[in-house]
Each structure stands twice: as structure tokens, then as C-alpha cells.
């Protein structure tokens, strides 16, 4: 399996975490983002239309004949292989909701700081309420959306370290996630790529 993305954290972070957690053997192809504004020199722009991707984009995952773009489709593909998409109807619906809700939340993070900060407590309260006393976001078992939620909550803490103070269940979720053996091993490995968070054109998080 090959996972390709810019040499940053970005949208690949939850995918890398899920590949590591599931013990999936994979190779990473890291495109140099320094030259990402230079269409002639950048390796990605050379590869873009030669790989047989239906909708060329980064990240992409190639697993034999299967070629996938869209980060959520990639997460769901790996999740499906490991039965991490919810078991009961209720869990499946929670996964479906959170798959999109987490992406909306991620997009808000790239908004201007002031607007974002005004909305943040309410947004976090909704996620805290949704998690409630559950161990993982869908229920008792981990699903692929926990990886997106971990990433986005962790990014929020980097952005505003006190933001989870009023929400102990979200804090405990982060601690529980980081305490998973495979995850902590990955976080201590040379493969771990926690930053830069975004590409250079993003409004923050490029350091
Ligand atoms: N909705 C897509 C967004 C992908 C996307 O915007 N990729 C950016 C990096 S975060 C990119 O540089 N894509 C390469 C391109 O547009 O050629 C996803 O979730 O995968």
C-alpha cells in the first residue's frame, strides 16, 4: 500500500495514525511542499495525471489495483478492512455524521482566528455532548472517525491550549487515544510527522 501526500501533517495525519494502529504495512511517498507553487519543478504536478487517479489529488492511496483520493474515502477504506465503520445501525449513523462533521470542523480551523475563536466553545460543547460518556465516538469500539476526531481536537489544543479545559470527556478521549500502544509507538518513531500542520499558504500552523 502506498500513501502519498505533501511532506506535512495536513489531511494525511489521521490516515497515517489509522495505518499504524491497524498494523497495515505501507510506504509513504512524501512530495516536497516547498516547491508546491512551482508547477514545472514539483514532483506532484508531474505525477498528477499519470497515476490513473479518477480525481487527482493529495492524499492518495494505492493498494494494488485500488486507487483512492479523498481523505475520508481513504480512511473509510482502511476502516472497512478492519471492521472499524460501526457495527450496529446506531454506531454506523454516528460514524456517518462524524465523518462529515469532523471535516466541517477542520475547515473552520482554517478560518480567520477571531471568528473561529468565537465559535469554538459552542462547537466543542456539541462534540463533548455527542461523545458523552462513551469510550469512543461511535460507542464501545473504535472506528475510523476517532482518528479524524483525535487529529482535529489535538490541532485545536495546539491552537488554543486551554480550549478543552471545560470538556473533561474530550480531554480523556485524547489521553486514551495517545495511550494506545501502537499510537504511542508511532508517535515516538522517526516516521511521525506532527508538523508543519498545513501548507505554507494556510493562515496559521505552518511552523
Ligand atoms: N477533499 C480533499 C481535499 C484534498 C486537498 O485539498 N488536497 C490539497 C492538500 S491538503 C492538495 O494540495 N491537493 C493537490 C492538488 O490539488 O493537486 C480530501 O479530503 O482529500
Amino acid at each position: 500500500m502506498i500513501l502519498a501526500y505533501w511532506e506535512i501533517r495536513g489531511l494525511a495525519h489521521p490516515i497515517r495514525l489509522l495505518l499504524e494502529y491497524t498494523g497495515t504495512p505501507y510506504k509513504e511517498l512524501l512530495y516536497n511542499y516547498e516547491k508546491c507553487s512551482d508547477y514545472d519543478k514539483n514532483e506532484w504536478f508531474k505525477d498528477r495525471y499519470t497515476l490513473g487517479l479518477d480525481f487527482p489529488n493529495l492524499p492518495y492511496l494505492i493498494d494494488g489495483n485500488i486507487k483512492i483520493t479523498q481523505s475520508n474515502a481513504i480512511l473509510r477504506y482502511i476502516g472497512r478492512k478492519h471492521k472499524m465503520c460501526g457495527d450496529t445501525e446506531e454506531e454506523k449513523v454516528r460514524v456517518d455524521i462524524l465523518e462529515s462533521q469532523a471535516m466541517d470542523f477542520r475547515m473552520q480551523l482554517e478560518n480567520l482566528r477571531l471568528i473561529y475563536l468565537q465559535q469554538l466553545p459552542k462547537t466543542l460543547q456539541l462534540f463533548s455532548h455527542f461523545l458523552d460518556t462513551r469510550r469512543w465516538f461511535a460507542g464501545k469500539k473504535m472506528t475510523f472517525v476517532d482518528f479524524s476526531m483525535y487529529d482535529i481536537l489535538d490541532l485545536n489544543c495546539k491552537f488554543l491550549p486551554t480550549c478543552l479545559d471545560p470538556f473533561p470527556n474530550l480531554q480523556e478521549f485524547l489521553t486514551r487515544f495517545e495511550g494506545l500502544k501502537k499510537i504511542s509507538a508511532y508517535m515516538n518513531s522517526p516516521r511521525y510527522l506532527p508538523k508543519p500542520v498545513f501548507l505554507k499558504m494556510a493562515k496559521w500552523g505552518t511552523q
Side-chain angles (χ1 to χ4, degrees), residues 4-190:
Y5 193 56
W6 300 115
E7 199 174 1
I8 61 165
R9 170 171 174 155
L11 290 169
H13 200 62
I15 301 171
R16 292 173 181 139
L17 288 164
L18 184 57
L19 287 167
E20 294 281 341
Y21 176 74
T22 53
T24 309
Y26 70 103
K27 276 195 189 154
E28 281 221 76
L29 179 52
L30 296 170
Y31 289 104
N32 186 331
Y33 68 96
E34 295 288 343
K35 295 186 209 149
C36 70
S37 52
D38 188 338
Y39 276 75
D40 295 330
K41 293 202 189 109
N42 193 275
E43 294 301 318
W44 162 239
F45 296 112
K46 285 183 198 153
D47 281 359
R48 206 183 203 174
Y49 294 105
T50 64
L51 296 164
L53 299 168
D54 292 312
F55 300 99
N57 216 334
L58 292 173
Y60 66 78
L61 184 98
I62 298 185
D63 183 17
N65 294 332
I66 309 254
K67 299 181 180 185
I68 317 175
T69 50
Q70 291 299 336
S71 53
N72 278 337
I74 296 172
L75 281 168
R76 199 173 259 281
Y77 174 75
I78 304 161
R80 216 164 28 237
K81 278 181 185 278
H82 296 274
K83 302 203 172 5
M84 294 176 75
C85 300
D87 295 337
T88 64
E89 191 56 33
E90 188 193 340
E91 287 166 3
K92 286 177 192 166
V93 169
R94 292 179 66 83
V95 167
D96 294 349
I97 293 172
L98 218 50
E99 180 179 20
S100 298
Q101 201 64 48
M103 190 51 93
D104 285 2
F105 193 15
R106 178 186 292 280
M107 293 303 149
Q108 284 171 21
L109 189 58
E110 295 186 40
N111 275 351
L112 285 174
R113 194 181 165 109
L114 201 68
I115 305 167
Y116 178 71
L117 284 178
Q118 281 166 2
Q119 295 166 348
L120 188 58
K122 185 70 200 157
T123 307
L124 287 172
Q125 196 208 322
L126 295 174
F127 281 106
S128 173
H129 185 256
F130 191 78
L131 179 62
D132 201 12
T133 56
R134 289 171 189 82
R135 193 168 168 76
W136 303 109
F137 272 93
K140 288 192 187 109
K141 259 180 73 186
M142 254 188 136
T143 62
F144 73 90
V145 291
D146 290 307
F147 292 76
S148 307
M149 283 312 302
Y150 170 77
D151 181 31
I152 190 73
L153 290 173
D154 179 57
L155 284 176
N156 275 283
C157 291
K158 303 258 178 309
F159 185 65
L160 184 66
T162 55
C163 71
L164 293 187
D165 287 358
F167 308 107
N169 68 337
L170 295 180
Q171 281 175 342
E172 283 157 21
F173 167 81
L174 288 189
T175 310
R176 192 175 300 130
F177 187 95
E178 286 169 0
L180 294 165
K181 266 195 194 146
K182 290 253 174 66
I183 296 297
S184 65
Y186 171 54
M187 287 180 169
N188 287 307
S189 79

